[in-house]
Amino acid sequence: MEKKPRNPVWSRDELILALDLYVRTSGNPTGQDFEAVDEVSAILNKLHRIMGNATGETLRNRNGVYLKVMNFRSSDPHYLDQGKVGMERGNKLEGVIWQEYAGDPLRLATDAQAIRATILAADGVALSQHPLEPPYEGEEGGVVLAMHKRYERDRKLVREKLKEAKAKGPLACEVCAFDFEATYGELGAGYIEQPPSGGPGY
C-alpha cells in the first residue's frame, strides 16, 4: 500500500498567522470562531498552491489549523499557570515565534495582516508557474525578498507620509484599507506601516 506524502512542516509565516489567530481567540477558538479558522486554512492552502505543493484533504485543513493554534498553549504562561500543559509534540519554531511576539500583540497583528494581504493579493496561477527560489536577504537598508517584502524605511519619509495621510482622514492601509485604530481601539491609534513615496502599502 502506497504511503501518502506527509504535509510540509509549518513555516515561519504560517506560524505567525496561527499565533495571530490564537491571540485573537484568547487561546481558545470555539465553534463560533471556526469561520476564522477556515479563513486561515484557505489562505495557507493558497500559499501552498503558489509554492507548488500538492494540496490534499489534510493539508492545512480546519483540524490541522486548529491543532496548530492549540500548540501555542505549551508556550502560554497564562495557560501553564493554571497547572495545565500544552501539547508536547510540536515544532520548535512555535516557541521561537511565541517569544518573538510575547507582549507585543500589535506587532504580531501588523505582521500577520501583511502576510494575509500579500497571499490574498498574489496571482497564484502565474506564480505557481515560476520556480521557487530561496529567500535572499540583502544588506541593511535593502529589501528582504520572500513571500512578502519588508521595506526598511527612512524615518523622515515615514513621518512625512504619516502627516500627509492623517490630513486626508482616518489612518488606514493604502492597499487593503485596514484601520488599526478601528480594530484595536486606542492601542492602534496612529499606527500604520507606510511605504516611501511610490512604494506599495501594507
Side-chain angles (χ1 to χ4, degrees):
M1 182 176 178
E2 185 179 347
K3 288 186 178 180
K4 293 183 179 179
R6 297 184 65 178
N7 290 330
V9 174
W10 284 64
S11 68
R12 173 184 170 80
D13 283 357
E14 291 180 289
L15 289 174
I16 290 174
L17 292 183
L19 178 57
D20 178 63
L21 181 56
Y22 183 89
V23 171
R24 285 190 286 128
T25 58
S26 302
N28 186 34
T30 60
Q32 64 183 359
D33 299 310
F34 279 164
E35 184 175 340
V37 174
D38 288 339
E39 177 190 21
V40 172
S41 172
I43 290 172
L44 296 185
N45 269 273
K46 179 177 181 180
L47 172 62
H48 282 280
R49 286 194 299 272
I50 290 171
M51 296 174 67
N53 296 330
T55 55
E57 292 181 359
T58 62
L59 179 62
R60 308 304 189 252
N61 62 10
R62 175 189 286 182
N63 289 339
V65 171
Y66 176 83
L67 288 174
K68 183 55 66 174
V69 169
M70 290 296 93
N71 277 3
F72 283 107
R73 283 181 168 179
S74 62
S75 300
D76 187 348
H78 296 296
Y79 184 77
L80 300 177
D81 286 347
Q82 300 174 44
K84 300 177 181 179
V85 293
M87 297 181 182
E88 294 182 359
R89 295 183 61 190
N91 184 336
K92 289 183 179 180
L93 187 55
E94 292 162 13
V96 173
I97 297 295
W98 178 276
Q99 289 300 324
E100 182 177 339
Y101 289 99
D104 198 349
L106 190 56
R107 187 166 71 90
L108 171 63
T110 301
D111 289 353
Q113 176 63 17
I115 294 168
R116 274 194 300 271
T118 301
I119 296 173
L120 290 173
D123 184 337
V125 174
L127 288 174
S128 65
Q129 294 173 354
H130 293 278
L132 186 66
E133 297 182 0
Y136 166 78
E137 294 191 9
E139 296 181 2
E140 185 176 359
V143 179
V144 176
L145 300 178
M147 185 56 207
H148 57 282
K149 294 181 179 180
R150 180 171 295 160
Y151 292 82
E152 297 183 7
R153 301 175 174 87
D154 180 308
R155 305 314 299 172
K156 183 178 180 182
L157 287 176
V158 172
R159 288 193 296 270
E160 292 301 315
K161 187 70 176 179
L162 283 172
K163 188 187 300 182
E164 177 186 333
K166 287 178 181 178
K168 293 180 180 178
L171 197 57
C173 176
E174 294 179 337
V175 174
C176 66
F178 185 79
D179 185 333
F180 281 92
E181 184 173 9
T183 302
Y184 297 101
E186 187 177 344
L187 182 64
Y191 192 91
I192 193 67
E193 283 286 327
Q194 291 288 352
S197 180
Y202 61 92

